[in-house]
Amino acid sequence: GDSVTQMEGPVTLSEEAFLTINCTYTATGYPSLFWYVQYPGEGLQLLLKATKADDKGSNKGFEATYRKETTSFHLEKGSVQVSDSAVYFCALRGTSYDKVIFGPGTSLSVIP
Amino acid sequence: ETGVTQSPTHLIKTRGQQVTLRCSSQSGHNTVSWYQQALGQGPQFIFQYYREEENGRGNFPPRFSGLQFPNYSSELNVNALELDDSALYLCASSWVGGADYEQYFGPGTRLTVT
């Protein structure tokens, strides 16, 4: 079945460092791909998305490119801030409308 | 535009009891999905309701059941609670039928089973 794999956390970075969180997926057909963020004590917020191969999703300085040849959707940010500290989830929606499949999440801590 | 809301925020129940969680969909949305997020894990799909009927189900036992009402609000019911049911329960609403499917999540209900 469809699945999502993310790099293990937690990740700790200094402010203004470069961030990469790796994500790979397994799915039939052409899934839509998402990154969600969850701040402490809150629900999920959609950070960015891409719906077809080679699309680049971007929001708040974060970017991810849908790479079908490597089945990847890595999250990047050039300069992280303390306020970016959160848990990040890679996710996909397959050919069925009925569910979004999430990875296990990667916890990010940014220190001043 | 009103976002997705859930109630209650927190809940403590005893093993064997029953619980009902509520979700109010975002205005204009016709579909609601429920997810269970155990501590330190990603959300797991429970089921989805579209136009008041179950439209898909994940790997959860029948004691997890749901309802969707004509105003597209929804309930998640869990019978015979077990300790492992302790989790954050998230609902998400969406508009199925549009060109750009996207789920909008509520803040969640934290259920603790003792």
Side-chain angles (χ1 to χ4, degrees), chain A residues 41-92:
Chain A
E42 298 185 12
L44 294 172
Q45 298 178 26
L46 179 65
L47 182 60
L48 54 83
K49 64 182 179 184
T51 58
K52 60 183 186 295
D54 299 325
D55 268 1
K56 177 185 283 188
S58 61
N59 186 26
K60 299 181 181 178
F62 291 89
E63 294 183 340
T65 301
Y66 189 146
R67 301 288 189 198
K68 187 157 181 66
E69 64 275 15
T70 55
T71 62
S72 64
F73 192 54
H74 305 322
L75 182 68
E76 296 182 336
K77 186 175 186 183
S79 176
V80 293
Q81 305 300 312
V82 172
S83 57
D84 294 328
S85 297
V87 180
Y88 293 81
F89 293 93
C90 186
L92 70 82

Side-chain angles (χ1 to χ4, degrees), chain B:
Chain B
E1 185 177 87
T2 306
V4 179
T5 59
Q6 292 185 243
S7 63
T9 305
H10 296 89
L11 202 53
I12 300 174
K13 289 287 189 177
T14 302
R15 189 172 50 184
Q17 285 187 317
Q18 179 266 343
V19 69
T20 298
L21 310 182
R22 294 178 175 82
C23 172
S24 180
S25 298
Q26 183 161 314
S27 177
H29 286 179
N30 59 8
T31 302
V32 64
S33 303
W34 285 91
Y35 294 82
Q36 180 195 66
Q37 186 180 15
L39 196 62
Q41 297 182 23
Q44 300 292 316
F45 175 74
I46 303 175
F47 45 55
Q48 183 184 78
Y49 278 80
Y50 171 63
R51 293 185 175 177
E52 303 177 52
E53 293 196 2
E54 190 176 288
N55 187 42
R57 189 177 185 93
N59 189 26
F60 281 82
R63 60 189 185 84
F64 285 78
S65 63
L67 284 172
Q68 186 185 29
F69 300 100
N71 66 354
Y72 302 124
S73 65
S74 176
E75 289 181 354
L76 165 65
N77 299 289
V78 187
N79 293 322
L81 283 167
E82 301 177 0
L83 296 179
D84 285 348
D85 296 334
S86 295
L88 180 69
Y89 287 85
L90 298 163
C91 82
S93 72
S94 54
W95 170 256
V96 173
D100 189 14
Y101 172 94
E102 182 176 319
Q103 293 193 348
Y104 293 82
F105 283 82
T109 293
R110 173 74 61 187
L111 172 64
T112 301
V113 182
T114 62

